[in-house]
Amino acid sequence: QVWLVESGGGLVQAGGSLRLSCAASGSTFRLDAMGWYRQAPGQQRELVADSSKGGNTNYADSVKGRFTISRDSAKNTVYLQMNSLKPEDTAVYYCNAKEGYFNYWGQGTQVTVSS
C-alpha cells in the first residue's frame, strides 16, 4: 500500500509560477514511475508529466518548456515546477505513482490561473 500527499496548489496570475510536491509513504520501494495528471471541469484526466524510476521524463506537449518534473528518490517525493502559467492550466492536479499496472492517486490539489 502506498499513500500520496500533495501540496503546493493555489491561485496565481497568468505568467506566474507554482511548485507542487507529492510525498509518498508506505511500500514505496515497489514504485515505478511517479508523475502528475490534471483534470479540468468537464474534461478527462490527462497526463502532465511523469518520471520513471530510472530518471526518464515525459511531458504533455502543452507544458513542454514551461513545466519541470523532478524526483527525489531518497525522500520519495516528486515535484512539479510550473512556470509561465496560463489560464488553461487551471485544473485539479493529481499525483500518480505506478506499481506495475496498478495506479495510486493523491487527493488532488487545485491550481487556478487567473488572466
Side-chain angles (χ1 to χ4, degrees):
Q1 181 67 38
V2 171
W3 294 267
L4 303 173
V5 177
E6 301 127 335
S7 60
L11 172 65
V12 65
Q13 288 189 333
S17 298
L18 283 173
R19 188 193 194 208
L20 305 183
S21 300
C22 172
S25 61
S27 301
T28 58
F29 62 92
R30 298 178 183 274
L31 294 179
D32 304 312
M34 293 185 69
W36 294 90
Y37 286 69
R38 67 186 180 187
Q39 187 167 18
Q43 298 191 19
Q44 290 189 333
R45 193 172 296 189
E46 63 175 2
L47 173 70
V48 177
D50 63 15
S51 175
S52 71
K53 201 169 187 177
N56 294 320
T57 57
N58 179 45
Y59 294 91
D61 287 342
S62 59
V63 307
K64 282 180 181 176
R66 300 188 298 122
F67 292 10
T68 303
I69 190 169
S70 58
R71 186 171 175 177
D72 186 334
S73 296
K75 295 182 178 180
N76 295 312
T77 300
V78 64
Y79 305 94
L80 186 68
Q81 178 66 43
M82 304 185 293
N83 298 328
S84 302
L85 282 160
K86 304 175 181 179
E88 51 263 44
D89 294 318
T90 295
V92 178
Y93 283 69
Y94 295 92
C95 182
N96 170 268
K98 292 178 171 34
E99 180 186 322
Y101 292 104
F102 189 81
N103 285 283
Y104 294 99
W105 295 97
Q107 79 281 4
T109 184
Q110 178 70 46
V111 171
T112 302
V113 184
S114 63
S115 56

